[in-house]
Amino acid sequence: MMKAVLLAGGFGTRLAEETTVTPKPMVEIGGKPIMWHIMKIYAHYGITDFVVLGGYKVDYIRSYFLNYQARNCDMVVNLGTGAVEWLSCATEDWRVTILDTGLDSMTGGRLRRARHLLQDGPFCLTYGDGVSDVDIPALVQQHKDSGAWCTLTAVSQPGRYGALRIDGGTQVQGFSEKGKSDGGMINGGFFVCSPEMLDLIDNDDTVLENEPMDRLIAAGRLGAYRHDGFWQSMDTLRDKHLLESLWQGGSPPWKVWHDTAPASVTPLRRTA
């Protein structure tokens, strides 16, 4: 089964109003962490085996998933015995691996620390702070057909991001500096990677978007999947408010999944 890897270890300094207490991927949109929204996107397409690359406040992420059932299920608690009966439940059939990849590791370093889990074939990779209605199956298929070792999703976003230089097809030829973008295509994450690209990461200090990408470009192995639909990162409080307003509007563009009613479950007992 294909895995989806989420980069979730950064400090999120541009969202300090929220991240002094909460790691950035756990900042909530519509009452759920933005990382949950990202995972729901992948799960909609049948990718439910997740690897979360934590660092800053990783214990917060561990606690969230350890207590996921308690957060999402009705229950009866016997305070005398400690027994718990689970009633109706709105949970997920996901497998979530959470790694502490170091407080100060860079994006490439975090991925390198998970390489022992990613040798079986292509895997998805994305940042823990951006949502999109990208067609994941089409992205995966292009990667498999192209011979690329890494395929990123190219999206339109002006301003503070560095623009991509893409040839007439799907191959990335380079990056422009941040601040000099003309509103062209940028790296929106939602990568598909082959295990070969992990060998291009040197150590914990390696920034994925620097040397490894440059090496992929030099080898002609960095592809781009062009996505003209919705994409939005959550870099600032303004971005968070935008996403929240879209969610509260009732039809958030990244919500590709369908809600299901809580299932009634046979009561299970757990003794503390």
Side-chain angles (χ1 to χ4, degrees):
M1 179 184 293
M2 178 172 276
K3 293 181 173 69
V5 182
L6 281 75
L7 290 161
F11 290 97
T13 53
R14 285 187 288 185
L15 199 62
E17 299 90 340
E18 299 275 349
T19 55
T20 53
V21 175
T22 306
K24 188 178 180 183
M26 302 304 291
V27 173
E28 293 186 351
I29 302 297
K32 297 285 189 180
I34 191 168
M35 185 162 65
W36 176 90
H37 292 260
I38 298 167
M39 295 165 87
K40 289 288 283 186
I41 295 168
Y42 281 110
H44 174 71
Y45 295 109
I47 300 173
T48 58
D49 191 352
F50 298 99
V51 180
V52 178
L53 307 182
Y56 175 65
K57 296 188 180 294
V58 67
D59 285 346
Y60 194 110
I61 299 174
R62 288 171 172 157
S63 177
Y64 178 81
F65 287 106
L66 278 172
N67 295 287
Y68 194 89
Q69 188 171 9
R71 292 171 180 268
N72 292 279
C73 299
D74 293 338
M75 68 181 77
V76 178
V77 183
N78 187 315
L79 298 183
T81 65
V84 177
E85 295 181 6
W86 302 109
L87 304 177
S88 61
C89 205
T91 188
E92 311 291 345
D93 187 18
W94 298 347
R95 183 175 187 268
V96 183
T97 302
I98 303 166
L99 301 182
D100 183 352
T101 57
L103 187 63
D104 298 313
S105 297
M106 297 292 102
T107 47
R110 296 190 190 285
L111 184 58
R112 186 174 185 271
R113 290 200 184 196
R115 64 183 303 164
H116 61 290
L117 301 175
L118 305 173
Q119 297 296 325
D120 295 337
F123 57 91
C124 294
L125 167 70
T126 197
Y127 304 108
D129 62 355
V131 289
S132 177
D133 60 354
V134 60
D135 186 336
I136 299 294
L139 164 63
V140 171
Q141 192 61 54
Q142 178 182 304
H143 176 80
K144 290 180 177 179
D145 292 343
S146 68
W149 288 353
C150 178
T151 301
L152 57 79
T153 297
V155 300
S156 298
Q157 179 83 357
R160 62 184 181 274
Y161 300 95
L164 298 168
R165 297 196 307 277
I166 306 174
D167 65 12
T170 62
Q171 186 171 318
V172 178
Q173 296 180 319
F175 294 85
S176 299
E177 294 181 13
K178 292 183 179 182
K180 295 184 179 180
S181 173
D182 60 0
M185 306 298 280
I186 64 162
N187 171 20
F190 290 94
F191 305 89
V192 181
C193 305
S194 297
E196 290 86 350
M197 68 90 62
L198 298 170
D199 294 330
L200 305 179
I201 302 172
D202 295 328
N203 51 47
D204 282 353
D205 296 329
T206 302
V207 177
L208 179 65
E209 300 78 6
N210 291 348
E211 293 91 345
M213 293 296 172
D214 289 340
R215 291 166 181 168
L216 286 165
I217 290 169
R221 295 284 189 170
L222 181 59
Y225 175 81
R226 295 173 184 258
H227 174 61
D228 295 319
F230 178 83
W231 176 87
Q232 179 63 51
S233 65
M234 190 184 67
D235 279 342
T236 66
L237 195 59
R238 179 179 179 180
D239 295 334
K240 179 187 183 299
H241 290 161
L242 170 61
L243 291 170
E244 185 69 39
S245 67
L246 290 171
W247 183 265
Q248 297 302 331
S251 298
W254 68 92
K255 187 177 180 291
V256 295
W257 64 92
H258 304 290
D259 294 325
T260 56
S264 295
V265 297
T266 302
L268 302 175
R269 293 183 177 272
R270 182 185 69 196
T271 302

